[in-house]
Amino acid sequence: MKSNRPGKIIGISLNYIVLSVVSLVMLVPFLWMLSTSLKEPAKIFVFPPELIPWPIRLENYTEVLSGTPFHLFYWNSLYIAVLVTVGTVFFASIAGYAFARIPFKGKNLVFLVLLSTMMIPNEVTSIPMFLFMRALGFINTHVPLIVLPIFGAGGIFGVFVMRQFFLGIPKELEEAAMIDGCSRWRIYWSIMLPLAKPAIATLTIFTFLTSWNDFYDPLIFLNDRELMTLPLALSLFTDEAGTAWHHLMSASVMATLPLLIVFFFAQKQFIEGVSMTGMKD
Amino acid sequence: MESNLNVPASAQRKAKPTRNPLGREANVAGWLFVSPMVLGFLALLLGPLLLAFYMSMTDWPLLGEPTFVGLENYQALFHDEEFWTVVGNTFTFAAGLVPMNIVLALGLALLLARKLPGIGIFRTAIFVPVMTSLIVWAIVWKYLFATDTGFINQILQLFGITGPAWLYNTKLAMPVVIVTSVLKNVGLNMVLFIAALQQVPAHLYEAARIDGAGRARQFFRITVPLISPTIFLTTLLTIIGSLKVFGQIYVMTQGGPDGSTKVLVYYIWEKAFKNFEFGYASALAFVLFFIIFVFTLLQWQYRKRWVFHEE
């Protein structure tokens, strides 16, 4: 039954060819972006395109950095994403722990209510939220961008991920600690949380990614250029008449790079985490 | 228990948690642990949701007082031609994107679930767009599809073909947005499929091979049934996601040309934050909510087969 070898070799080669073509299509935008970001403006539309531009024009990068408040966009994106991630992981993990392990009154009802609201599209609540934040004076500040994701659908998703994970940890560990007189907080902080590293890693990457790339909320809540996050700032570059593609592309490279670096190093854990939180039955 | 026989049953039940110090402690601790999340949820999700529902029944101008108008906004929707176009566009987007995404993701997962040398590179390449900002992705593709100077039309030029004005053509703009959106997110579904495929026991395939079943038969008789919960749920999640499409539309077409790519969320955003018709926009948002609600109910029915451990 071992199928004929030539057939198998053809099959595998076909496999590689198909994968190469698809991967190429996936990577063309990046290669194009990278290549354009290093080109002289006059050479951008030259055909056939030079994949490796010469001379390399690194000024595209320095011009973006000096010509726009790019360091501010970067900083805004970064600190918002970090705060959102830390907040989400913290609040979601304590709630997830309680839902998984503490038998308190009304737990199932509360959990069910949280669960059922995960489907509420952001766009529905963002309209009253805009008025609410305006009444509180938080329009054109970063407050909504930090607070809303932590307690919104992303936070609730985090509660599930963490609850899920804590349910899988053997009860004996905790019972021993309880007999020794550990408080719930101690148990959570010193025993359960360190065990939850894989779940935390997954939630961290997911949350960071979502926050870093968020577009809708910054579009609604921010007006001032200095307050903008990277995706919003980049989208405004294209609106201006006569887009400077070489600048836009170098800005895009800079906006994408940190995530690709994070992904490169966290890739194994992330893909496993996706499968773990998404798929175990 | 026996000594308590004279006490009414309701009092017994009430007394129970307080009598057990551990139970009471659990109530306090449990509520303390979930309170930040629950309070945040009430103030930032449930509250606004109820307010949004009220708003959808008002005429709420930018300046000035809202007036209650009942279901007028919803009635107005039915006579709003643009609303129907927008709903149609939203479904067109979903109908184009979902099958393409699922088929491509599953196909790639089948190719990538095998243990071949160098397979990690391909997995990464296909997953990289998932990590990219949607806005960056849309900007680059807008550029690649540019009319005269775009990469794609320059390639076509090599073959003597004058490429169309992709994003300025009412028939082509939507397909372009759909294809680029598929490429952006296919990697995520692919990873989920790889995970599902790896849980199919290998001995089933061996048994089938011994029985002389070919590749296609193995796929339809073993693979598809065993990963069907994943197929079902990724499909629903992709549908729900596609109904909320916004960013790529905002960057690539701004709803144009001639409204041919104007989708529901874009219309909501336009009504709410460009025209400041908060009441009408809220009614629109509730239509979106209702459509997503229907798909979420379906997903809920099948949740046990998928994400969450049930106690």
Side-chain angles (χ1 to χ4, degrees), chain B residues 24 29 32 40 47 68 75 80-81 89 92-93 111 121-122 128 148 155 170 210-211 213 215 224 258 264 302:
Chain B
R24 188 189 199 167
L32 277 178
F68 188 80
Q75 283 165 345
D80 178 359
E81 249 176 69
N89 288 342
T92 306
F93 180 82
L111 295 180
I121 297 168
F122 295 114
V128 159
D148 298 320
I155 297 274
T170 50
I210 290 166
D211 290 344
R215 270 278 170 80
V224 170
D258 200 22
L264 200 40
Y302 285 81

Side-chain angles (χ1 to χ4, degrees), chain A residues 8 11 31 48 55 59 63 76 87 146 152 155 187 193 202 211 261 268:
Chain A
K8 205 167 182 183
L31 298 175
E59 288 89 337
E63 281 163 12
N76 294 337
I146 295 164
I187 294 172
L193 206 57
T202 309
S211 174
I261 292 169
K268 201 162 177 274

Side-chain angles (χ1 to χ4, degrees), chain B:
Chain B
M1 276 294 155
E2 262 166 52
S3 62
N4 281 349
L5 271 180
N6 294 334
V7 182
S10 60
Q12 274 188 35
R13 235 176 285 129
K14 254 188 207 160
K16 222 180 167 184
T18 44
R19 233 187 313 161
N20 175 1
L22 210 68
R24 188 189 199 167
E25 179 274 332
N27 278 340
V28 174
W31 276 102
L32 277 178
F33 275 54
V34 300
S35 58
M37 202 66 217
V38 169
L39 290 177
F41 158 83
L42 290 176
L44 303 176
L45 207 60
L46 200 62
L49 182 72
L50 297 176
L51 186 57
F53 188 61
Y54 171 71
M55 287 176 78
S56 76
M57 294 190 287
T58 62
D59 184 14
W60 197 311
L62 175 60
L63 302 168
E65 291 297 299
T67 40
F68 188 80
V69 295
L71 293 176
E72 252 173 52
N73 284 328
Y74 291 94
Q75 283 165 345
L77 285 180
F78 284 94
H79 305 290
D80 178 359
E81 249 176 69
E82 199 170 8
F83 168 73
W84 291 110
T85 313
V86 162
V87 170
N89 288 342
T90 309
F91 283 121
T92 306
F93 180 82
L97 177 127
V98 176
M100 219 190 291
N101 186 322
I102 298 295
V103 169
L104 190 61
L106 183 56
L108 289 170
L110 286 169
L111 295 180
L112 287 166
R114 299 206 224 161
K115 291 218 163 32
L116 293 173
I119 215 89
I121 297 168
F122 295 114
R123 275 192 202 182
T124 309
I126 294 162
F127 200 77
V128 159
V130 178
M131 302 288 295
T132 319
S133 155
L134 178 64
I135 299 308
V136 170
W137 184 257
I139 289 171
V140 178
W141 277 106
K142 184 184 176 185
Y143 177 31
L144 295 175
F145 273 109
T147 309
D148 298 320
T149 49
F151 182 66
I152 287 164
N153 279 354
Q154 286 186 331
I155 297 274
L156 289 176
Q157 200 62 54
L158 281 185
F159 301 96
I161 304 166
T162 305
W166 298 95
L167 291 168
Y168 298 94
N169 179 313
T170 50
K171 287 205 174 65
L172 291 172
M174 185 60 105
V176 167
V177 174
I178 290 172
V179 168
T180 53
S181 304
V182 169
L183 295 176
K184 169 77 175 68
N185 278 323
V186 73
L188 193 61
N189 282 342
M190 178 193 78
V191 171
L192 297 176
F193 281 132
I194 290 176
L197 287 172
Q198 284 173 344
Q199 284 179 12
V200 178
H203 66 82
L204 289 180
Y205 292 114
E206 279 159 35
R209 240 172 288 150
I210 290 166
D211 290 344
R215 270 278 170 80
R217 215 175 147 78
Q218 287 176 34
F219 176 71
F220 285 109
R221 289 297 169 84
I222 300 173
T223 313
V224 170
L226 282 177
I227 67 166
S228 60
T230 307
I231 297 178
F232 181 79
L233 279 147
T234 43
T235 304
L236 277 176
L237 290 177
T238 310
I239 291 173
I240 292 173
S242 65
L243 294 172
K244 299 200 275 183
V245 53
F246 178 75
Q248 55 270 61
I249 302 280
Y250 181 91
V251 171
M252 291 175 81
T253 66
Q254 297 267 325
D258 200 22
S260 63
T261 61
K262 196 181 275 187
V263 290
L264 200 40
V265 174
Y266 193 89
Y267 195 47
I268 294 172
W269 171 78
E270 207 176 56
K271 286 284 178 202
F273 301 109
K274 255 175 116 176
N275 305 350
F276 297 103
E277 297 173 33
F278 292 125
Y280 195 68
S282 296
L284 282 168
F286 267 89
V287 172
L288 175 70
F289 186 16
F290 177 75
I291 299 171
I292 289 176
F293 179 72
V294 171
F295 286 104
T296 309
L297 274 186
L298 274 170
Q299 181 195 335
W300 174 252
Q301 290 294 314
Y302 285 81
R303 76 192 189 284
K304 281 184 187 154
R305 297 168 69 180
W306 189 57
V307 184
F308 311 114
H309 290 287
E310 291 302 311
E311 278 169 289

Side-chain angles (χ1 to χ4, degrees), chain A residues 1 11-12 15-16 18-20 22-23 25-30 32-33 36 44-47 49 91-92 94-95 97-100 102-108 110 112-115 117 119-134 147-148 150-153 155-156 159-160 163-164 167 178 184-185 188 205-206 209 213 215-216 219-220 231 234-236 238-239 245 248-249 252 255-256 259-260 263 267 270-271 274-275 277-281, chain B residues 17 22-23 25-27 29-34 36-38 40-41 43-46 48-49 51-52 55 60 62 104 108 111-112 114 116-120 122-137 139-144 149-151 154-155 158 182-183 186 188 191-192 195-196 199 209-210 212 230 244 246-247 250-251 254 265 268-269 272-273 276 278 281-282 285-286 288-289 292-293 296 300 303-311:
Chain A
M1 224 57 56
I12 290 176
N15 216 340
Y16 277 119
V18 172
L19 288 174
S20 305
V22 177
S23 302
V25 173
M26 293 293 190
L27 292 177
V28 157
F30 292 95
W32 196 250
M33 181 168 92
T36 305
I44 294 175
F45 299 116
V46 166
F47 201 83
F91 290 118
I94 55 172
Y97 170 66
F99 282 125
I102 304 178
F104 62 96
K105 242 189 165 180
K107 164 167 121 164
N108 290 335
V110 176
L112 200 72
V113 172
L114 283 187
L115 196 92
T117 49
M119 66 178 166
I120 300 171
N122 186 23
E123 293 75 15
V124 179
T125 50
S126 66
I127 298 169
M129 195 47 79
F130 175 79
L131 296 174
F132 186 47
M133 291 292 170
R134 196 174 63 176
V147 174
L148 294 181
I150 297 178
F151 299 103
I156 296 173
V159 174
F160 291 130
R163 171 182 176 267
Q164 177 93 336
L167 281 176
M178 272 187 124
R184 296 272 180 188
W185 179 257
Y188 157 77
I205 298 175
F206 250 129
L209 185 73
N213 289 338
F215 178 67
Y216 195 78
L219 179 68
I220 291 171
L234 287 178
S235 83
L236 294 188
T238 63
D239 266 6
W245 287 105
L248 185 58
M249 290 300 116
S252 299
T256 310
L259 279 187
L260 291 186
F263 179 66
Q267 143 178 209
F270 182 57
I271 291 188
V274 171
S275 349
T277 48
M279 280 301 130
K280 265 197 185 156
D281 52 357
Chain B
L22 210 68
E25 179 274 332
N27 278 340
W31 276 102
L32 277 178
F33 275 54
V34 300
M37 202 66 217
V38 169
F41 158 83
L44 303 176
L45 207 60
L46 200 62
L49 182 72
L51 186 57
M55 287 176 78
W60 197 311
L62 175 60
L104 190 61
L108 289 170
L111 295 180
L112 287 166
R114 299 206 224 161
L116 293 173
I119 215 89
F122 295 114
R123 275 192 202 182
T124 309
I126 294 162
F127 200 77
V128 159
V130 178
M131 302 288 295
T132 319
S133 155
L134 178 64
I135 299 308
V136 170
W137 184 257
I139 289 171
V140 178
W141 277 106
K142 184 184 176 185
Y143 177 31
L144 295 175
T149 49
F151 182 66
Q154 286 186 331
I155 297 274
L158 281 185
V182 169
L183 295 176
V186 73
L188 193 61
V191 171
L192 297 176
Q199 284 179 12
R209 240 172 288 150
I210 290 166
T230 307
K244 299 200 275 183
F246 178 75
Y250 181 91
V251 171
Q254 297 267 325
V265 174
I268 294 172
W269 171 78
F273 301 109
F276 297 103
F278 292 125
S282 296
F286 267 89
L288 175 70
F289 186 16
I292 289 176
F293 179 72
T296 309
W300 174 252
R303 76 192 189 284
K304 281 184 187 154
R305 297 168 69 180
W306 189 57
V307 184
F308 311 114
H309 290 287
E310 291 302 311
E311 278 169 289

